Amino acid sequence: MPEDVEALVQFDDVSTQFGDLWALRDVSFGLRKSETRIIFGAAGSGKTTLLKAAIGLIQPDSGKICLFGEEITNRSEHALFALRAKAGMLFQESALFDSLTVRENVEYPLRNQQSETPLTEEEMEGRVREALRFVELEHTLDKLPSELSGGMRRRVGIARAIVTEPPLVLYDSPTAGLDPITANTIMALIAKERDVRQTASLIVTHRFQDGELMANFRYDAGTEELVPVPESGGDSTERALTKFFVMKEGEIVFSGSREQLDQATDPYVRRFAKH
Ligand SMILES: Nc1ncnc2c1ncn2[C@@H]1O[C@H](COP(=O)(O)OP(=O)(O)OP(=O)(O)O)[C@@H](O)[C@H]1O
Ligand SMILES: [Mg+2]
């Protein structure tokens, strides 16, 4: 199918069990340029497993996963490395290297890129500064993660995830444990990244508002602010490009638009809808 060719990441009937627990169960979906999937689900429902499987950090028991059009299931770690380096990932709890400075943390993916024409030290410095400027943390270059607040560490994690300008970024619980204002700042950065670079995003979250923001706002380059997208008609692409998954015991038990989520009747799915 031609639409599969364009998918940056594609799952076909992917399943994984740990013992007798399903971490992924018959998961199928495709994600294309500029598209966002908000992934909801109870603790242990498979959200992190899904993100890790998407970049080959976990090999499923069955099914097929393609990343940037190439099958990654049952590939050697070596072959996976280059492909994985083309995707950005914000790990749950940020997972910064504690003993490395902010600069070294953000530089890390650039040094890991396998390229015919490696970046010079100067170019790397430029890219690191640009990524940190994007999250408004350029002044923290030489600090250690322990010297930053939780929200700042999350922003450094985002800078590290986007520094290679990846076409696909996976965000694992970017707003977890943050106060609402900081959480909104983080989501605004994620929306800006999507709109400035047409990035495809998979976003795991527990907050309904995070999905609302991705669906209802877009970054306006003129004013450098998020602006609401029209309710209907006109330029409502953000809304159409943002879809929601609800996971339960490894399975995607709901997939659809925000409106469809609001109308869901299943009590488990309703837990993640607007009340
Ligand atoms: N490496 C592993 N070994 C054994 N079991 C695992 C492993 N990784 C995940 N699991 C199990 O797989 C299931 C899904 O875990 P996962 O981390 O994907 O959940 P999650 O939806 O991200 O949860 P949370 O919201 O708490 O982050 C859980 O039952 C978990 O215990
Ligand atoms: Mg998780």
Side-chain angles (χ1 to χ4, degrees):
M1 282 193 294
E3 55 180 23
D4 287 349
V5 175
E6 294 171 47
L8 297 173
V9 58
Q10 175 84 38
F11 280 50
D12 288 307
D13 287 325
V14 174
S15 295
T16 280
Q17 279 182 284
F18 291 111
D20 52 9
L21 285 174
W22 290 96
L24 295 175
R25 189 166 189 174
D26 296 328
V27 170
S28 297
F29 71 92
L31 185 78
R32 292 162 193 81
K33 187 175 166 177
S34 292
E35 287 186 334
T36 300
R37 290 288 176 285
I38 303 289
I39 305 172
F40 293 125
S45 58
K47 305 180 299 295
T48 295
T49 306
L50 187 149
L51 295 194
K52 286 186 173 170
I55 53 172
L57 289 173
I58 288 174
Q59 287 291 352
D61 298 338
S62 62
K64 180 174 149 187
I65 301 172
C66 292
L67 182 61
F68 306 123
E70 295 194 46
E71 183 169 354
I72 59 165
T73 12
N74 303 319
R75 275 227 190 174
S76 73
E77 190 56 30
H78 178 75
L80 263 171
F81 198 83
L83 268 177
R84 185 183 297 148
K86 284 168 63 184
M89 173 108 177
L90 174 72
F91 288 93
Q92 204 161 3
E93 312 296 343
S94 306
L96 299 177
F97 302 112
D98 292 334
S99 58
L100 301 184
T101 63
V102 166
R103 177 203 303 270
E104 291 162 339
N105 264 286
V106 176
E107 216 170 57
Y108 190 82
L110 292 174
R111 294 199 182 276
N112 267 314
Q113 262 181 336
Q114 288 168 352
S115 164
E116 310 268 291
T117 49
L119 296 176
T120 64
E121 290 297 317
E122 217 175 14
E123 285 167 332
M124 227 176 296
E125 165 87 13
R127 295 281 286 276
V128 168
R129 282 186 180 274
E130 192 184 319
L132 282 170
R133 203 175 306 132
F134 186 87
V135 298
E136 297 171 18
L137 281 181
E138 206 183 349
H139 57 286
T140 67
L141 268 175
D142 297 310
K143 292 203 185 303
L144 288 169
S146 59
E147 298 175 273
L148 305 178
S149 71
M152 289 163 95
R153 279 200 294 276
R154 214 56 70 76
R155 275 147 68 194
V156 174
I158 291 176
R160 186 174 65 176
I162 65 169
V163 69
T164 59
E165 304 187 349
L168 167 72
V169 185
L170 317 179
Y171 301 93
D172 199 345
S173 313
T175 59
L178 303 178
D179 65 84
I181 292 172
T182 310
N184 284 340
T185 312
I186 297 287
M187 289 313 298
L189 287 172
I190 292 174
K192 178 174 155 189
E193 165 68 17
R194 171 196 64 186
D195 295 336
V196 170
R197 307 208 18 263
Q198 283 80 51
T199 314
S201 337
L202 286 178
I203 306 172
V204 168
T205 180
H206 293 276
R207 291 197 342 142
F208 181 78
Q209 307 91 293
D210 294 350
E212 290 267 277
L213 189 142
M214 292 302 285
N216 296 339
F217 290 85
R218 73 179 165 77
Y219 179 74
D220 180 75
T223 58
E224 298 190 2
E225 281 182 26
L226 288 187
V227 295
V229 297
E231 197 50 55
S232 61
D235 179 17
S236 59
T237 44
E238 285 76 11
R239 196 161 290 133
L241 291 170
T242 305
K243 296 247 173 63
F244 296 77
F245 287 166
V246 176
M247 295 190 72
K248 182 183 184 184
E249 293 163 20
E251 210 176 331
I252 298 177
V253 292
F254 170 87
S255 169
S257 68
R258 198 203 62 152
E259 288 75 17
Q260 289 166 327
L261 180 61
D262 285 347
Q263 287 156 14
T265 51
D266 179 272
Y268 178 84
V269 173
R270 284 207 63 76
R271 280 164 56 185
F272 305 97
K274 194 176 193 173
H275 297 295

